[in-house]
Amino acid sequence: MQQRQQLVIANWKMNGNNQLVEAFSTALSNINANCEVVICPPSIYLHSFKQQLTADTKVKLGSQNVSEQVSGAFTGELSVTMLNDLDVNYVIVGHSERRAMYGESSEIVADKAKRAIDASITPVVCIGESLEERESDKTFDVIAEQLDAVFNALSLSEWSNVVLAYEPVWAIGTGKTATPQQAQEVHEFIRRIVSERLDEETSKALSILYGGSVNAANSAELFAQADVDGGLVGGASLKVDDFTQICQSVSAE
Ligand code: PGA
């Protein structure tokens, strides 16, 4: 099987403080794991996180959001240029909380992904269905619709700089994790669509993460699924020991 980049990404959401930044940078600087480890603290902590990591660390930083605009009168927003100034390598776009609470459409999410790629920042594009959509058998339709906007916004070659995260909304912050089989089924579907819309090579090289109540007890089995290439972790990414264990549960290929 083709080697794909495995990643474990911490999404702190609007949590954390100086103490947590210090605890994580100290504990993770020299972490030994079979995956890329990415921390997305609230943006205001990105700079101090970076400064507290050791110079030779492999840990990468990510932002939880970015504007689709270049610059200007957009109070409270952050641009890709600003993220470049902080050496940020990843940005989460289209998290369901932003889609639901801040009205981000699939088109806006796709524009953000494009803006990030243009600035050499890897977008982690989140997609996923609500409980109601799952229960009415719309999971695949919703995923296809969310992806459609990304296909429209990006060229084939730009897809080599994309990470996808399948995050069923009903599993986020609920403690109700998708079973490894449920995750694998959707990941396989996503890879198939990418293969059909683009090509097989791109689909095989694409990292697809699972997110939604990943914890130290369930991560190994989820990450062992053929089409699951790591995870996007919320709640459990706020505890140093749990998050370290989750990173280390990625097995060597
Ligand atoms: P959770 O969040 O791990 O707390 O479910 C995941 C996410 O929202 O990315």
Side-chain angles (χ1 to χ4, degrees):
M1 202 179 94
Q2 170 143 357
Q3 294 263 337
R4 277 190 289 273
Q5 167 89 283
Q6 309 283 304
L7 301 107
V8 175
I9 303 181
N11 175 12
W12 283 9
K13 310 191 180 183
M14 201 171 72
N15 296 297
N17 49 29
N18 284 334
Q19 287 71 35
L20 201 69
V21 169
E22 192 185 338
F24 266 78
S25 48
T26 308
L28 292 184
S29 270
N30 299 313
I31 188 172
N32 201 356
N34 297 312
C35 62
E36 173 113 307
V37 176
V38 183
I39 311 288
C40 305
S43 327
I44 200 144
Y45 295 116
L46 282 166
H47 184 63
S48 62
F49 207 120
K50 179 92 188 165
Q51 287 198 315
Q52 290 177 65
L53 287 167
T54 54
D56 59 350
T57 186
K58 294 203 181 83
V59 172
K60 298 286 189 340
L61 289 177
S63 174
Q64 295 176 18
N65 187 25
V66 74
S67 173
E68 72 278 20
Q69 306 290 342
V70 178
S71 66
F74 301 101
T75 301
E77 292 291 302
L78 295 174
S79 72
V80 288
T81 321
M82 295 167 191
L83 298 183
N84 278 153
D85 275 346
L86 293 179
D87 287 331
V88 167
N89 300 95
Y90 293 87
V91 61
I92 299 170
V93 297
H95 191 282
S96 62
E97 287 153 16
R98 296 218 53 94
R99 289 180 191 258
M101 292 189 257
Y102 300 94
E104 292 188 8
S105 64
S106 293
E107 286 67 34
I108 291 176
V109 172
D111 286 348
K112 289 182 179 210
K114 169 74 175 144
R115 188 68 69 200
I117 289 171
D118 286 348
S120 302
I121 298 171
T122 302
V124 180
V125 183
C126 301
I127 53 179
E129 82 288 0
S130 66
L131 184 59
E132 197 190 340
E133 288 160 346
R134 173 162 282 262
E135 285 177 344
S136 51
D137 278 336
K138 293 205 186 100
T139 298
F140 294 147
D141 293 343
V142 171
I143 300 280
E145 182 273 323
Q146 291 172 338
L147 280 176
D148 199 46
V150 189
F151 288 123
N152 291 338
L154 303 184
S155 67
L156 174 61
S157 65
E158 286 171 331
W159 274 84
S160 58
N161 302 314
V162 172
V163 170
L164 291 183
Y166 169 55
E167 295 211 307
V169 179
W170 48 270
I172 295 176
T174 58
K176 201 167 169 248
T177 320
T179 63
Q181 294 70 29
Q182 284 173 321
Q184 169 58 24
E185 184 187 28
V186 179
H187 283 230
E188 200 180 326
F189 171 76
I190 294 169
R191 212 177 291 287
R192 193 165 66 242
I193 299 199
V194 173
S195 178
E196 283 166 12
R197 294 285 300 255
L198 303 171
D199 59 34
E200 197 181 349
E201 196 187 332
T202 307
S203 84
K204 280 191 169 164
L206 179 68
S207 299
I208 309 174
L209 314 184
Y210 168 79
S213 298
V214 172
N215 60 41
N218 62 28
S219 60
E221 206 188 340
L222 284 161
F223 300 169
Q225 301 305 304
D227 289 295
V228 178
D229 307 308
L232 179 54
V233 188
S237 77
L238 295 166
K239 297 177 208 131
V240 175
D241 291 346
D242 289 32
F243 185 68
T244 304
Q245 256 180 279
I246 292 170
C247 294
Q248 291 174 336
S249 71
V250 175
S251 58
E253 293 270 295

